[in-house]
Amino acid sequence: MSLISKLKIKHDLSSYYPLFFTIIFIFILFQYSFSVLESTFYDFRVKYDFGIDYLDKTVLIVLDEESDEYLGESYPYTYESHNRLLEKLIRDKPKIINYFVNLPDNPALETKSIITEFKTIVNSYVETGGFFHFATEVDFWGEKLPPMELKQLGYAPAVINIDNAAFSRDDVARRVVLNISGEDTLHLWTANNYRSTQGLSPLTAKDLPGSYYSREGDATFAMLRFGTDPVETKTRIKKVPFHRVRVGNFPEGFFKDKIVLVGPAYLSNASDYILTPFNKEEYKSSKMNVHASIIDSLIQGKTVRSIDKNISYILSIFLAIFLSFAISRLNPAKGLIVTVSVMVALLLSTYFLFSFFGTWLYVSHLVITIFVVYYIWVPFRAIGEYKHRFAIQEETKLLKKVESLKQNFISLMSHDLKTPVAKIAGLADLMVVQDMCKNDEGKKIVSSIVDSTKELNKFITSILDLAKVESSNIGLNLISKDVNTVVEEIVGGLRYEMNDKNVQVETDLSPLYPIHFDLNLMKRVISNLIENAIKYSGENSIVNVKTWDDEKWVYIEIKDNGVGIPPEDIEHIFDKFYRVKNDASHSIKGTGLGLYLVKYFVELHGGTIGVSSEMGQGTQFTIKLKNE
């Protein structure tokens, strides 16, 4: 294997170093959970989740400071007050009543008959088709049960799980507990009883999307979706103070067919409030609102199904490879657009996946992957771009040196050629003048020498002009003159060529004001175009030269009725050393620099030149010079 081949292989492999480094870095990221970032994305989806409806089937009766002041009692109030509330409430025929009040066991100031009355009221409600349950709390010491005399009315744990041991560990309520040690929680019990009244089948913990069992807690959990914002000032959950229900101050039918939750919501008691995805820093959501939201979500059977993290890891790798190739192949602006587009598409797709299907895809690793890929590849691209620019700069310097050497060589050679050519031309002219050739053959040879030296001199002049053009050494010697006089002078000077080709040049020169131009350069421009028209239009043809002006421009038009120029050649006729390939070009001598210099000289004056041609109809050149 040659050294060049080895270098190519080395170069090819080096271009993949950023990709290898990116993949390794991504695998290192997999060792971290980024739970805080993930919780931010998760909470955003929960807050703006349009895939779950608010059923408006729950009403809260809250014990608060207002009721304390009105009743002259303090939490948890007397059994007498609760009995009067239940009497008024049950008359309105709610479907389910959940009691979140920790009623006192063996109250000192109340008789056993009052507790019995409480039990009788509830039993009569249940016998008529209602559902009643106490809500119990579960702490480190176990479940806090209702009073002994009231246990038979039914109770179930009503636990709001806060995120303090896993995931983000920020004490935000994101999960619902479905059962504990095989016993359904109050939320699932309430949801299933309500579903039965609607003719819907009950749900077990396993039926709910994304439910999972935790051996450590001996409980089944699921991620919660909120049908409404639980923050007190924004929630749509209906709430009424305890004392208003106790005295019957509520509209008839307000509680009919509703799920009624009775519990505390004291602004002065921080333990009655909790953090949720809607309020992650201030305790603005009451636990009663969250209980209502949990029940509402379970009635609809809408919890969150999480996709295995390994899927996110696999997607991260594919995303890293895709973005690596995209950023390495595209220019920086397009690479940034692709990166931002992928980021937006990822966040939108995971958001819609959550809202439409209740599916949670871990997105933090994917988002970090996008940033990692971009910030790894951009420096490598910058290094590559710098190397490329440096190579171009060095190549440009070398080309400038070569160009300078070429210009010097052409200039020197052209000047050196002019002297011997002038001598040859002078000697040939002398021989003609002094009639040194005594026979026709000799005269013909001398005449040929004169013509050849003229052609060679014209070629050398063109090369010198080209050298001046490319070195930007041409300056304008502007004078004020009428273009028509220049045209007439040039046409007059071409009488010999016109007679030799039997070509007639017709002029249509409108009266013009003098304009500023370089006389020598403009003579070369006009004479070149008219001379070309004479040479290429063929014998017995007509060349029209026309001038006119308007407020901005002076126009010079040279038109012939020759064979025309093929469409594929039109766009190249002003190129350097380009000659149209036809029968005439083979018989007519030329350098291919004439029209190139014509265009340059016209544009040097701030003008333009255009050409149009039709095969068999002729060619027309139009020069526009500033009318000033």
Side-chain angles (χ1 to χ4, degrees):
M1 184 180 293
S2 66
L3 178 62
I4 294 176
S5 299
K6 291 180 180 178
L7 289 174
K8 285 183 178 179
I9 291 174
K10 184 178 180 181
H11 173 73
D12 292 338
L13 289 176
S14 66
S15 64
Y16 291 101
Y17 288 165
L19 177 60
F20 298 148
F21 184 72
T22 300
I23 298 299
I24 292 171
F25 202 90
I26 297 302
F27 273 104
I28 294 174
L29 291 178
F30 292 162
Q31 311 308 311
Y32 300 91
S33 62
F34 301 106
S35 297
V36 175
L37 178 62
E38 186 62 42
S39 68
T40 301
F41 290 119
Y42 180 88
D43 293 342
F44 176 85
R45 297 176 203 142
V46 170
K47 287 176 67 175
Y48 301 101
D49 182 6
F50 60 81
I52 182 171
D53 300 320
Y54 173 59
L55 298 180
D56 193 22
K57 299 298 182 183
T58 308
V59 179
L60 304 181
I61 299 176
V62 296
L63 290 71
D64 56 12
E65 289 85 355
E66 184 182 351
S67 292
D68 286 2
E69 183 177 356
Y70 183 89
L71 297 174
E73 301 179 19
S74 60
Y75 182 84
Y77 300 166
T78 64
Y79 276 95
E80 176 65 26
S81 292
H82 287 285
N83 291 344
R84 301 293 77 79
L85 176 131
L86 286 173
E87 287 176 349
K88 301 291 192 305
L89 175 61
I90 290 172
R91 288 176 191 169
D92 216 36
K93 299 180 180 179
K95 285 190 183 296
I96 301 173
I97 300 174
N98 288 338
Y99 236 71
F100 288 80
V101 182
N102 294 321
L103 293 174
D105 196 359
N106 299 320
L109 300 177
E110 298 187 291
T111 64
K112 199 166 187 176
S113 61
I114 296 179
I115 300 177
T116 303
E117 182 183 358
F118 182 97
K119 185 163 56 175
T120 301
I121 294 171
V122 172
N123 283 330
S124 63
Y125 166 67
V126 172
E127 288 171 1
T128 58
F131 298 91
F132 181 92
H133 249 40
F134 280 106
T136 60
E137 297 178 359
V138 179
D139 58 18
F140 179 78
W141 304 104
E143 188 176 3
K144 295 181 180 179
L145 302 179
M148 184 68 65
E149 296 85 350
L150 303 178
K151 283 184 181 180
Q152 65 180 18
L153 296 178
Y155 59 90
V159 180
I160 298 177
N161 180 262
I162 60 173
D163 192 1
N164 59 3
F167 195 34
S168 186
R169 302 181 183 181
D170 53 4
D171 292 337
V172 173
R174 298 186 181 93
R175 290 181 178 86
V176 53
V177 183
L178 300 174
N179 64 41
I180 301 175
S181 301
E183 178 187 358
D184 287 348
T185 60
L186 180 71
H187 306 117
L188 187 56
W189 176 87
T190 303
N192 279 331
N193 280 301
Y194 186 85
R195 286 172 64 88
S196 67
T197 64
Q198 304 299 308
L200 301 173
S201 58
L203 298 171
T204 65
K206 294 180 179 180
D207 295 329
L208 289 163
S211 62
Y212 64 94
Y213 175 74
S214 171
R215 185 185 298 274
E216 183 180 354
D218 189 23
T220 303
F221 298 86
M223 299 300 287
L224 175 62
R225 299 175 73 178
F226 290 81
T228 182
D229 189 336
V231 175
E232 284 290 351
T233 57
K234 299 178 181 179
T235 189
R236 290 184 288 168
I237 299 171
K238 293 183 176 65
K239 181 175 67 173
V240 59
F242 183 97
H243 69 277
R244 284 182 54 189
V245 181
R246 183 187 183 281
V247 298
N249 184 17
F250 57 88
E252 185 178 353
F254 185 75
F255 297 101
K256 183 175 176 59
D257 296 330
K258 299 288 187 180
I259 300 170
V260 179
L261 310 184
V262 183
Y266 286 89
L267 293 173
S268 57
N269 187 8
S271 62
D272 287 345
Y273 290 80
I274 196 168
L275 299 178
T276 70
F278 298 83
N279 56 295
K280 298 173 65 174
E281 296 181 356
E282 296 183 73
Y283 287 82
K284 294 181 178 180
S285 297
S286 72
K287 288 184 178 179
M288 296 304 297
N289 286 347
V290 176
H291 286 302
S293 295
I294 293 172
I295 293 170
D296 189 77
S297 174
L298 294 181
I299 290 173
Q300 301 177 64
K302 289 189 175 182
T303 49
V304 180
R305 179 187 295 105
S306 63
I307 299 176
D308 193 284
K309 279 188 177 180
N310 291 323
I311 301 298
S312 293
Y313 296 157
I314 294 171
L315 289 175
S316 295
I317 294 172
F318 279 110
L319 193 59
I321 295 172
F322 168 75
L323 284 178
S324 295
F325 279 101
I327 295 172
S328 64
R329 296 293 187 271
L330 300 173
N331 63 50
K334 290 183 179 178
L336 179 60
I337 291 172
V338 169
T339 303
V340 173
S341 299
V342 169
M343 176 74 80
V344 172
L346 172 67
L347 296 177
L348 287 178
S349 60
T350 54
Y351 169 65
F352 287 117
L353 188 68
F354 186 92
S355 290
F356 282 118
F357 305 103
T359 302
W360 169 27
L361 174 67
Y362 287 83
V363 75
S364 57
H365 284 93
L366 294 168
V367 170
I368 293 175
T369 294
I370 294 173
F371 281 102
V372 166
V373 171
Y374 187 77
Y375 283 103
I376 286 177
W377 274 95
V378 166
F380 278 99
R381 279 296 304 273
I383 293 171
E385 292 288 336
Y386 175 78
K387 288 181 177 179
H388 183 64
R389 285 198 300 269
F390 180 77
I392 291 175
Q393 288 173 356
E394 292 300 310
E395 184 178 351
T396 302
K397 290 179 182 178
L398 182 60
L399 288 174
K400 285 182 178 179
K401 289 181 180 179
V402 172
E403 186 67 19
S404 178
L405 290 172
K406 184 190 78 171
Q407 297 297 334
N408 291 336
F409 173 77
I410 291 174
S411 180
L412 289 172
M413 287 297 295
S414 300
H415 279 98
D416 290 345
L417 282 171
K418 266 185 169 292
T419 301
V421 168
K423 287 181 179 180
I424 294 171
L427 291 172
D429 287 337
L430 184 61
M431 291 175 69
V432 172
V433 171
Q434 295 183 0
D435 196 19
M436 293 182 180
C437 297
K438 303 301 181 182
N439 53 53
D440 293 339
E441 184 66 25
K443 291 179 179 179
K444 187 175 181 180
I445 291 172
V446 173
S447 178
S448 178
I449 292 172
V450 172
D451 291 340
S452 296
T453 54
K454 287 181 180 179
E455 289 292 333
L456 183 57
N457 191 58
K458 186 181 292 186
F459 177 76
I460 292 171
T461 302
S462 297
I463 293 296
L464 285 173
D465 286 341
L466 176 64
K468 289 180 180 179
V469 166
E470 293 185 340
S471 63
S472 301
N473 284 334
I474 292 183
L476 294 178
N477 183 22
L478 300 177
I479 63 170
S480 180
K481 194 172 182 66
D482 186 350
V483 170
N484 287 339
T485 60
V486 179
V487 173
E488 289 172 344
E489 182 182 343
I490 291 171
V491 171
L494 292 172
R495 294 295 177 188
Y496 174 79
E497 287 81 357
M498 292 160 54
N499 295 332
D500 185 52
K501 292 286 187 178
N502 196 22
V503 174
Q504 183 179 353
V505 178
E506 297 180 350
T507 58
D508 180 11
L509 309 178
S510 300
L512 300 175
Y513 288 105
I515 62 172
H516 290 86
F517 58 86
D518 187 301
L519 181 60
N520 291 328
L521 294 183
M522 199 51 59
K523 278 184 176 181
R524 293 186 59 183
V525 168
I526 298 172
S527 63
N528 183 284
L529 293 175
I530 297 177
E531 192 173 351
N532 282 349
I534 293 171
K535 287 193 291 186
Y536 290 101
S537 61
E539 295 187 358
N540 302 314
S541 60
I542 298 175
V543 175
N544 298 102
V545 181
K546 182 180 180 181
T547 62
W548 73 97
D549 68 349
D550 57 25
E551 292 182 357
K552 293 184 178 180
W553 303 98
V554 170
Y555 300 87
I556 306 170
E557 178 184 280
I558 295 97
K559 181 178 180 182
D560 64 58
N561 55 359
V563 294
I565 302 173
E568 61 271 15
D569 290 319
I570 283 287
E571 59 185 80
H572 298 292
I573 62 171
F574 293 111
D575 293 350
K576 197 182 337 181
F577 298 115
Y578 187 85
R579 297 192 71 200
V580 177
K581 297 175 179 62
N582 55 28
D583 295 337
S585 64
H586 291 294
S587 59
I588 299 173
K589 296 178 181 179
T591 62
L593 289 173
L595 290 179
Y596 169 77
L597 294 173
V598 163
K599 184 172 186 289
Y600 181 83
F601 294 154
V602 170
E603 291 179 349
L604 195 62
H605 284 78
T608 62
I609 182 170
V611 59
S612 61
S613 183
E614 291 186 22
M615 295 301 295
Q617 300 296 319
T619 304
Q620 174 182 307
F621 287 88
T622 304
I623 299 171
K624 292 168 62 177
L625 297 174
K626 289 183 178 180
N627 192 2
E628 57 184 28

